[in-house]
Amino acid sequence: MEQEWKKSLYAYVDLLNKGRVAPGYAQGRDTVKDARFHKMQVERSQRIAKWYERRSITPLRGETGVRTLRTVRQNPGEIVADVALHSALYYEKGGITHREDKIESERLTFVRAGKGWEIVNIERSVPERSSLRRAAEAEPALRLSKWGEVLQAPQPSQPLLNRNILRGTAGAREVRYRREEAAAYADRWWKDGNPEFEIFEVDCTNYVSQCLFAGGAPINYTGKRETGWWYKGYNGAQEWWSFSWAVSDSLERFLGGQRASGLRAEAVERPDQLSLGDVIQYDWDGNGHYQHSTIVTAFDAEGMPLVNARTVSSRHRYWDYRDSYAWTDRTAYRFFHINDYL
């Protein structure tokens, strides 16, 4: 039975893959019977086609792999499965071929139809719209997946607080921000996450903070979660970190603050003012609450930033995120140029 329903899964993946290269590709109704999905795809395809045109890019080919994460429910006539879709898009701009990657999660419901299977419901997880702050303040005893299921608690990390780099310690002095090392770390851990750190369900800001740290940004340890910028590691019964380390809105306030030393940044007006290792933050609803963080890891042929992220794991993705399911026409951005010396 498994191989039968997976034929429909692979047909669906092929539909998505072709749609990325040729927005408007409308086949697949024999496999996918979710009318809401088809309506959303038409609207999304129109937006993506205009986005490609505005960026002056030519999609060349797509590659999409699928992995079944878990079978949530299975009976002779219905299967509900969570899947991860790893898509790579190759495109040409200015005579240069670029590749971007992202990994998205979906929950698919299959029902038997005659001798085959059809997909009747598609639920997309949009964790980029989620906020870690509420969970962090509540500090729940159970960790939940994006679908609300209880997850096994992670193994504790080793304490990562390095007192030799704390501001205010004897001999402390300004250090150069190593942009290339921050970007290299981002490329190393975008997909799976560094197991030496806690990996959150909303992991984007934790990941960006790790990249900044890898580039030499000094820890600002206060011992209070509401202040400073720090990650202590395993402490007692849980991981311990400042909100600014792992919460997008808190990092935005920390980077936007004024201080004489340590991790500092200048807010700039345009993305083309950014350098490797700089940070972009996203307010999807335009209400002043930032929900997502990325780090600049490359540039396209026009010099516009390409970014890495986690939560929806992404590598060398175009900075404005207009292909994200989280994006709205109210989306606002915050561009931070990290100081060269910290």
Side-chain angles (χ1 to χ4, degrees):
M1 181 174 68
E2 180 175 352
Q3 294 304 317
E4 294 176 359
W5 69 265
K6 283 194 172 180
K7 290 180 182 179
S8 294
L9 172 60
Y10 299 144
Y12 170 63
V13 170
D14 185 61
L15 171 68
L16 295 180
N17 193 48
K18 290 176 178 176
R20 288 201 74 193
V21 178
Y25 185 81
Q27 296 185 24
R29 293 184 180 273
D30 292 340
T31 299
V32 180
K33 299 297 184 181
D34 185 341
R36 179 179 54 87
F37 164 80
H38 287 294
K39 180 177 183 296
M40 290 178 61
Q41 283 298 101
V42 169
E43 296 171 354
R44 177 179 170 80
S45 292
Q46 292 172 349
R47 173 159 58 88
I48 296 299
K50 292 178 181 178
W51 186 53
Y52 287 171
E53 182 179 1
R54 185 169 59 251
R55 291 171 56 194
S56 300
I57 69 171
T58 302
L60 300 176
R61 73 179 190 278
E63 298 174 357
T64 302
V66 62
R67 179 166 60 95
T68 303
L69 301 176
R70 64 186 66 84
T71 302
V72 179
R73 184 167 63 250
Q74 181 169 341
N75 59 52
E78 181 187 49
I79 293 172
V80 179
D82 293 343
V83 301
L85 299 161
H86 181 169
S87 60
L89 175 67
Y90 296 83
Y91 62 91
E92 183 273 333
K93 181 179 177 65
I96 298 175
T97 298
H98 296 278
R99 168 179 170 158
E100 68 171 45
D101 293 81
K102 61 183 177 181
I103 302 174
E104 297 172 298
S105 299
E106 297 183 351
R107 174 166 287 182
L108 306 177
T109 301
F110 301 80
V111 297
R112 185 177 286 281
K115 296 182 179 180
W117 292 80
E118 297 173 345
I119 300 174
V120 297
N121 190 52
I122 299 169
E123 298 176 57
R124 289 197 168 110
S125 170
V126 190
E128 293 161 321
R129 293 193 63 85
S130 302
S131 173
L132 183 63
R133 184 61 182 266
R134 185 179 302 170
E137 290 173 335
E139 294 178 3
L142 296 177
R143 297 180 71 247
L144 302 179
S145 76
K146 58 180 70 74
W147 306 109
E149 296 155 333
V150 177
L151 299 175
Q152 183 178 0
Q155 294 299 311
S157 73
Q158 296 298 313
L160 292 168
L161 183 61
N162 182 349
R163 296 187 180 278
N164 292 328
I165 63 171
L166 296 180
R167 303 305 305 180
T169 54
R173 56 186 176 83
E174 282 192 332
V175 297
R176 177 179 171 273
Y177 181 45
R178 302 183 299 274
R179 299 181 180 278
E180 296 80 5
E181 293 183 27
Y185 182 97
D187 280 346
R188 170 67 179 85
W189 295 110
W190 73 275
K191 187 176 180 181
D192 299 315
N194 186 344
E196 291 296 320
F197 290 82
E198 171 83 351
I199 296 176
F200 301 100
E201 282 301 312
V202 182
D203 202 42
C204 56
T205 307
N206 172 42
Y207 166 75
V208 167
S209 288
Q210 291 176 39
C211 297
L212 295 171
F213 181 73
I219 292 290
N220 180 353
Y221 180 67
T222 65
K224 299 179 180 180
R225 304 190 77 171
E226 297 80 8
T227 62
W229 178 77
W230 52 272
Y231 186 99
K232 190 173 184 180
Y234 193 60
N235 183 45
Q238 62 185 0
E239 299 287 320
W240 204 246
W241 34 267
S242 66
F243 290 133
S244 60
W245 181 279
V247 181
S248 185
D249 207 46
S250 297
L251 178 61
E252 187 273 335
R253 288 194 295 272
F254 185 82
L255 292 178
Q258 297 295 317
R259 59 187 60 83
S261 62
L263 177 56
R264 290 165 290 165
E266 175 190 0
V268 297
E269 296 297 322
R270 305 188 313 273
D272 58 359
Q273 294 175 288
L274 296 175
S275 302
L276 206 66
D278 284 342
V279 173
I280 303 177
Q281 297 191 281
Y282 303 74
D283 168 8
W284 304 119
D285 303 305
N287 60 8
H289 177 64
Y290 290 85
Q291 298 154 292
H292 188 52
S293 307
T294 67
I295 184 166
V296 177
T297 53
F299 296 88
D300 70 9
E302 193 179 14
M304 298 302 288
L306 305 175
V307 299
N308 283 26
R310 278 190 49 76
T311 302
V312 172
S313 296
S314 304
R315 179 179 181 273
H316 296 188
R317 194 168 175 178
Y318 193 70
W319 71 270
D320 69 4
Y321 260 60
R322 284 176 177 260
D323 62 334
S324 169
Y325 295 110
W327 189 89
T328 71
D329 57 8
R330 301 181 302 279
T331 296
Y333 306 93
R334 193 90 151 109
F335 307 112
F336 283 111
H337 175 65
I338 306 301
N339 278 26
D340 289 328
Y341 289 91
L342 307 172

